[in-house]
Amino acid sequence: MPRMKKTQKRSREGESSVEPHPSNHPLAKWFHANEDLIFYELRLAGHKEIPPREKYYPELTSIAYATLGIQSDSQNPSNFSMVFKLGRNLYRVHCDTLGRIWNLPLEGCPFKGGKIPLDDWGYDKMRAMQMFNLTQNEKSKIPCQTMNDEYRTLLYLVTYVLEPRVFGHGNVADEDLVLMWAMVNEIKINWPFLILHHNLRIKGKDISGGIGYLCLWTRIFNYLGIDVSNKNVKHLNACCEINDATLHHMGRGKEEEAPPMAFRGHPVPQVQVKNNHP
């Protein structure tokens, strides 16, 4: 006769007793052993599920990226559409739809990035370098080591998230300076417009520039109802998150307190210095 599994529990006297199998439990048919069901009830039932990390499709994204283009109104650059091909199908997504899919604001300057003079922003490269405590070296590069921790965090956000690139994160490019200047001075930017043009700039250089915004591409595929059932899928992992380990990698310790950033229209909080002398 086969031996049946029994769940043991300790009584108050220290003796073991057998937990009766809850055969009338609504989930009993899904568990082979009684202890598995009890473990579920005690440890797992009612716990909040952890959502899977966002998916992306490397091959499908590469194909769409290779055919990516922008159709824009010459009289009104803010009125634009994203276009790309998959096989024989041509897809077009208007800027209003992009803003909703990506949950990004469309109001603001249609800034393309790159070395473009922005007199209407009051932007001046030398003033921006002074603001962020930057100096140009003999190789005409602007290293970021002299920036304080707050501005280093802002630069990290620009070069890894807003305008991602594969290499050169230790140097501040001209477009990095412009974006940081805009954010510190609270200048609105049309983010979908910038994202598309940044993709085109990378694409125009060479493939080593990488493909950014993978999860944003996935949202486009989902919105258009593109069949991804037989496509290779990957998930973003923890290394893609900005967390304590990221800040530590940037040389920012928890015990350090960097001076707060000054935003236009918001004065820097004054630090009160205690005077210990009578």
Side-chain angles (χ1 to χ4, degrees), residues 117-175:
L118 297 165
D119 297 333
D120 53 336
W121 284 9
Y123 174 75
D124 178 81
K125 182 176 179 179
M126 295 306 299
R127 286 177 57 197
M129 290 178 62
Q130 291 175 1
M131 172 185 289
F132 301 122
N133 193 28
L134 294 168
T135 54
Q136 200 163 9
N137 60 24
E138 62 279 2
K139 296 181 179 180
S140 298
K141 294 186 180 293
I142 307 175
C144 66
Q145 284 76 11
T146 55
M147 302 174 74
N148 68 31
D149 290 339
E150 295 295 329
Y151 291 138
R152 284 280 298 276
T153 305
L154 185 60
L155 176 66
Y156 188 98
L157 179 67
V158 169
T159 58
Y160 280 91
V161 180
L162 300 177
E163 282 197 321
R165 56 179 182 254
V166 176
F167 45 80
H169 301 96
N171 294 313
V172 184
D174 287 344
E175 53 264 36

Side-chain angles (χ1 to χ4, degrees), residues 76-112:
N76 181 14
S78 298
N79 184 24
F80 62 94
S81 296
M82 169 189 189
V83 293
F84 63 92
K85 284 184 179 180
L86 290 175
R88 296 182 179 180
N89 298 321
L90 175 66
Y91 298 94
R92 181 180 289 104
V93 186
H94 192 260
C95 59
D96 292 336
T97 305
L98 275 179
R100 291 196 303 271
I101 297 172
W102 291 346
N103 194 26
L104 292 173
L106 287 164
E107 66 271 10
C109 175
F111 173 54
K112 295 182 180 180

Side-chain angles (χ1 to χ4, degrees), residues 179-243:
L179 274 182
M180 292 169 63
W181 171 278
M183 287 187 283
V184 168
N185 288 281
E186 298 182 343
I187 297 173
K188 292 183 178 181
I189 298 173
N190 187 321
W191 289 110
F193 186 89
L194 177 62
I195 286 171
L196 290 182
H197 281 86
H198 179 63
N199 263 325
L200 289 179
R201 286 206 315 277
I202 295 177
K203 174 184 170 183
K205 293 178 181 178
D206 58 66
I207 196 62
S208 65
I211 300 176
Y213 316 110
L214 292 170
C215 293
L216 297 186
W217 277 100
T218 299
R219 297 179 190 181
I220 293 293
F221 299 152
N222 292 338
Y223 173 81
L224 295 173
I226 296 173
D227 183 13
V228 295
S229 57
N230 61 343
K231 304 299 181 184
N232 180 29
V233 60
K234 293 185 178 181
H235 292 80
L236 293 180
N237 53 35
C239 70
C240 300
E241 298 177 352
I242 299 178
N243 49 29

